[in-house]
Amino acid sequence: MPPFKTMIPTNSRPNEWKIEQGLAGAELPVIDMTEPENKSLIFQVFPEKLTKDEEAIKAVGDPEKLFVRERDGWIGFVEWENHPDKKAAAHKILTSQTFPPNPEFQLGPIPPTNPVLPGTRWKLWHHAVGGELTRVPDDSWNCVLKEKHKDMLHLLQFPYNGEPPKRLVTDKEITPNNLHFVRNHGGIPIIDKDKFSFMMDGLVARPREYTLDDLMDESRFPRMKKTITIQCSGTRRIEQILKYPGQGDEIPQAPWAEGAIGTAEYTGISLKKVIKECGGLIEGAKHLEFYGCETYFKDDKCMNYLVSVPWSKVKANEVMLAWEMNGEPLPRIHGYPLRIVVFGYIGARSVKWLYRVKAIKLPSRAPVQSAEYLYFPQQVGKHNLKMTDGIQIQEMPVSSGIMFPWTKQVIIHNGKIRCKGWAYSGGGRWPERVELSADGGFNWYTIPLENLSKKRRWTWRTWSYDLPCDVEGWVEIVVRCWDNAMNTQPPEIRTAWNWGLHVTHSCHRISVYSVNRSRPKTDTRLKEFEDAGIPFAPITVPLTFPSQTWDDYEKFWRENDPRDAEDD
Ligand SMILES: Nc1nc2c(c(=O)[nH]1)N[C@H]1C(S)=C(S)[C@@H](COP(=O)(O)O)O[C@H]1N2
Ligand SMILES: [Mo]
């Protein structure tokens, strides 16, 4: 047989059909309709060749001296916030060369790999600045390999962002440490516990330094053990991306699914007690700024990871200095030796690798606090946004997720579909009722209380339920949670969408194909498959035996009216 002629002359691109159908959005030009004639705008082009001004970089100085390890026993730690000169030097290096662009994964296809995204730019930035940062990407990945479960889904290799696969997210009510999601904005510092201390300063009466032994001294600070759910505000972002992309202000952005949430028992002390020991706040201090010791890159600048929470939160004993997670020393990847845990706030405030707490008057002006983690109104985006348009996200709203089954799955059942998932509400509210619908959210079944895990003030509740489903064909299963303040979730992803792709709290929806074996006809057909030894899956493969005998077919038409009606 002659081969098909593939090179037929055409003015269309090879993937024109996909582009027309919105399946290759990254290649669609922006249309300018402000003039009588439509105009396609050109794309931002990245130079094919990267540039590097060696002279300028050399003039900055020796990175081994400029960016040295800040403290003995703190591998990977460079302090930036007290050193404007260092910041300027790093900025000069970063602006004296170009780096490859970020891969497009929102409007284009998401890579089918694990890690999904490599984080090439962040690796190159660390190498470009050099000094103590050179080793950080490798140290971090080695830490992932050592501390995390082999089945983790690595969304971003560096900075490391990973979540457990759906089947393991709610496998246990308390998340095992090696399966807890990880969200990093930079590398993982390797800190020697015996060389560790952190500084409590800023607007407190008596600033002072604390070692871990000081904090563990129960004669000074009462011990605290709390089971806490940490949820990233990016949880379930993928639903927004797949329907309506945006641009996460949270950089680098991970295409999180439902696994960026985890629950653990943390041991430590209340930050309030430390502030009290420092003589309390002075001069109208109202916020506490937390310093994480890894290097964060933003706009060609180097900085440490900084955020803040209001004093009112600390005063309520809802901010903890934690050194244990589920009865073990904090894993390095989760902040060893000391992290902040802020109950009921987005994960971003629970700073890992803490080296300083500073009492300040206004919320932190650091970018993670002021320019990122903002919840914008829907009409705000690249073309018009200002930071002040966004609400700084602190408490998470009520939310939930279906961990099983999965979208596009075919389910053979006896009238009930086994479902599993989680429900959570931020700010100290808790799931009071969880409901499932098998008809897209028209009718709801309440999950019996005995099918929900324990009720606690600061944690999720995992659940399982055999959801009644009589109908066959594609059905949409929806989950919704009511918290104790009677808040519930908006029905559609559209109502949750925002430019920063945060807080995906709309009802989680999955589409499954229902095959109800309690119906005799379905049971008979499935037996035919079994008898013939033909697998039923996938459903899109045509039936390989007759759906009906011709005798049976003729009998039908003898007993019923013909296909077409006749005039009387
Ligand atoms: N120092 C530091 N602390 C950090 C981060 C970070 O990048 N650096 N990420 C924050 C974010 S956005 C989240 S969601 C939580 C995640 O905590 P985990 O990695 O222990 O699950 O850590 C927070 N604390
Ligand atoms: Mo986060």
Side-chain angles (χ1 to χ4, degrees), residues 183 232-234 250 347-348 373:
R183 198 280 181 258
C232 180
S233 57
E250 177 204 1
Y373 295 96

